[in-house]
Amino acid sequence: MAGSCHVACLSRGRRSGRLGMASPAALNDVALRRTSTRQSIDELILASRVLDDGLLQTQLSVPTAHCGGCMGKIERALAQLDGVVSARVNLSTRRATVTWKRTATIPPLLATLSEVGFEANLLSNLEGQPDRERRRLIVAMAVSGFAAMNIMLLSVSVWSGADPGTRHLFHAISALLALPTVAYSGRIFFQSAWSALRAGRTNMDVPISIGILLALGLSIFDTLHSGPHAYFDAVVTLIFFLLIGRTLDYLMRDKARSAVLGLAKMMPAGAKVIAEDGSRTFVTLDSVAVGDAIVVAPGERVPLDGVVLAGEGDVDTAVVTGEAMPTPVMAGSKLLSGMLNLDGSLEVRVTSTSAHSFLAEMILMMEAAEQGRARYRRLADRVATYYSPIIHSLAFAAFVGWFLSTGDWHRSLTIAISVLIITCPCALGLAIPMVQVVAAKRLFERGIALKDGSALERLAEIDIVVFDKTGTLTIGDLRVTEADIDQRYRDIASAMASRSDHPVARAIAASSEGRAGGNLDSFSELPGKGLEACRAGHVFRIGRPDWALSGANADVGSLHTVFSVDGERAGHFRFSDIEKTSARDAVRQLSELGLDVELLSGDHPEAVSAVAASIGIAKFHAGLLPQQKVQRLEALAGKQCKTLMVGDGLNDGPALSAAHVSMAPSNAADIGRAAADIVFFGQDLAAIPQVLRISHAAGRLVRQNLVFSVGYNLMVLPMALAGYVSPLLAAVAMSLSSITVVANALRIPSQSGPRPNTVRRERALVPAGSAT
């Protein structure tokens, strides 16, 4: 059965020419059948996505990963396997994404993670199942909190000077409360520490577990020997505060994931496919191939990207564009998954598989937001890696030093326990991931999706913002204002324009509405230059004069787009463009932030100058080809300038990749969304200053958390080594440091107003030239 499913999965991928993925139901069956870390070849391939170049991508659920150190160990262990190209871990979702190449041997992903101490399973669709981890944390926290309050009441009596008999009785009662509490609530830390030690490594839970067990053992010893001191209150309070921090961390990550889950829930379970005989069959999304025709009834979400074949009505596009007003659609209109069909039945031709649909891409971008390896993140991970051995060494040195100087093993062990507890690097492990998680959620509230968490840090470094013009500062909706073309060639020009999706070509095709167009022997589109076609031995071109015309004919004055036959001018076009009303305000806000703004365009200088003057951009470059835009960005980088490139991707893919950090609207061309580090929903440019403000706030909070985490340890370590900190004070201080870091991350400003939306009255500009 697994083999047949695998064949079907791969056949769908080949049939669509893109990416194939097993159905959620099939993946769920795999997870339910799995009882060990053993994986069969069929199971692994069935649960994997088929990428290009013979690569496969597998997602693993790693529920026991909870810190930056875990993330680094998982990635290193998987990356060392033969055939593995990359391995990235997302702490918010506790998922590992592994890209691997199929060879003679299949990489033992699950077995490898088991060997290094992590439980893992092939990811399955378990959305409907209860959140067991949250329940386990909350119950364990409640149990430890109840025990901590009662033991603390007993301890107050002991501290107040109870007689030896009462003191011994209260210590015994405290022991009866502490032992089951430690066994039940403390197992969360013990299991993690044991898994790490069994794999020959350490993590942050190792010093915590050692400190808890030593303090518990010492307290039991003192109770049995009627000693004056016992630290049951410290043990249980430490577990209680640690669980508060870990539960807050889990809830915050889960809250940040709510945006991703909200998008995922928008995706319908399947679609009604129209068969060749006209019958309609409901199938899962993974069974729908590119080119299939589906039906979207009124009130249903569009399940897959496509083009309307028949029917008309209004569609709610808020998920994609942020616009509140419905958009009318008809035959030929493009639809993206997630849009809501308000009225009218639509027949849609599918243009992308479920794995490559708009919603799927947005979900992947949100889940990838925490995976970036920024400089601060790498530093914290590296420090956390060496922290546990250092803590163990300091605690052992403290015990030996105090024992040699005093001969009192009891006091020496107490001080060593305090050192272990108070210097645990939990706060350092949370310092950066929590800020990154909260920042990603705040951005998503504003309609902005991070593809790489490291983009936040890079954004805070930029000093110049570079814009593309058409489709970025303007809406790219050109209109032909003058068309002077030889009557004999009007049909050919219409046929050429109708085959391109460039704004200039769309405008020419729209102005020729009603013309049937002519047949062409060949057709090609050259980015930054224009369109070329052959018919009856003649070469026809629409585009830049210096390219479309030959020799001396290229001098045509102020004309921007010409139509030529065999290098001879046979007509020309003039256009007008429409400026985005949010552009001027966005440029003003960027200037207020102290950033330089520059405009790069392939358009004619006259058109670029008009846009720049209207929006308020003093510096611009016109007539640039795509490679010349890249050269300009490289020149800025050579001057130590950090650039933010904002483009729509029609011909900005290379420039977006070359910039220090890049942004693109969600409705940009595929190449633009793929190359950009950040994608914002709709076309409202207010997203640019917003993401910059969030990045600056996140940068400040990261630095504050790092300074606090390191400063805290540098301050309390000498006090603990000198014997001025009891295990109880150590437990409270260490736990409060973790909670402080989490609380500080929440200071990133939340959405203060309605979600940006692009429903505004647009304003026409002076005539513009060809858009590039």
Side-chain angles (χ1 to χ4, degrees), residues 315-329:
V315 175
D316 183 351
T317 64
V319 171
V320 178
T321 66
E323 295 193 13
M325 294 297 293
T327 300
V329 296

Side-chain angles (χ1 to χ4, degrees), residues 471-472 580 646-649 663-669 672-673 678-683:
T472 304
K580 290 181 180 177
V646 185
D648 68 339
M663 293 182 67
S666 60
N667 58 351
R673 293 205 304 269
I678 304 165
V679 174
F680 56 96
F681 294 82
Q683 301 187 56

Side-chain angles (χ1 to χ4, degrees), residues 613-751:
S614 175
I615 293 175
I617 300 177
K619 192 169 185 178
F620 63 89
H621 297 269
L624 299 181
L625 296 173
Q627 59 267 33
Q628 292 174 316
K629 292 184 180 182
V630 174
Q631 291 170 2
R632 175 58 185 164
L633 293 177
E634 291 175 346
L636 290 171
K639 298 177 182 178
Q640 305 305 312
C641 293
K642 303 293 180 65
T643 60
L644 165 62
M645 176 70 191
V646 185
D648 68 339
L650 287 173
N651 60 356
D652 299 320
L656 291 170
S657 299
H660 188 62
V661 63
S662 55
M663 293 182 67
S666 60
N667 58 351
D670 290 344
I671 186 175
R673 293 205 304 269
D677 298 304
I678 304 165
V679 174
F680 56 96
F681 294 82
Q683 301 187 56
D684 195 338
L685 298 179
I688 301 169
Q690 286 178 348
V691 74
L692 287 168
R693 291 191 180 96
I694 294 270
S695 69
H696 290 149
R700 286 193 300 271
L701 294 180
V702 163
R703 290 190 292 272
Q704 290 171 11
N705 281 352
L706 286 176
V707 170
F708 173 79
S709 302
V710 175
Y712 158 80
N713 283 283
L714 292 177
M715 179 181 67
V716 301
L717 180 58
M719 299 171 60
L721 290 172
Y724 293 121
V725 180
S726 69
L728 177 60
L729 289 177
V732 174
M734 189 276 291
S735 301
L736 288 178
S737 69
S738 299
I739 295 174
T740 300
V741 165
V742 174
N744 193 43
L746 298 178
R747 293 175 55 228
I748 295 179
S750 60
Q751 177 73 308

Side-chain angles (χ1 to χ4, degrees), residues 250 256 267 283 444 471-472 516 530 597 631 637 649 686 705 712 729 770-771:
Y250 183 87
M267 298 186 71
V283 300
F444 194 81
T472 304
V597 180
Q631 291 170 2
N705 281 352
Y712 158 80
L729 289 177
S770 59

Side-chain angles (χ1 to χ4, degrees), residues 308 311-315 317 327-331 333-335 339 341 346:
V308 177
E312 58 183 31
D314 292 332
V315 175
T317 64
T327 300
V329 296
M330 59 195 71
S333 299
K334 293 183 178 180
L335 297 178
M339 291 181 174
N341 183 18
L346 303 176

Side-chain angles (χ1 to χ4, degrees), residues 79-93:
Q80 292 173 357
L81 296 176
D82 292 338
V84 172
V85 177
S86 66
R88 303 299 291 272
V89 176
N90 187 320
L91 277 182
S92 293
T93 59

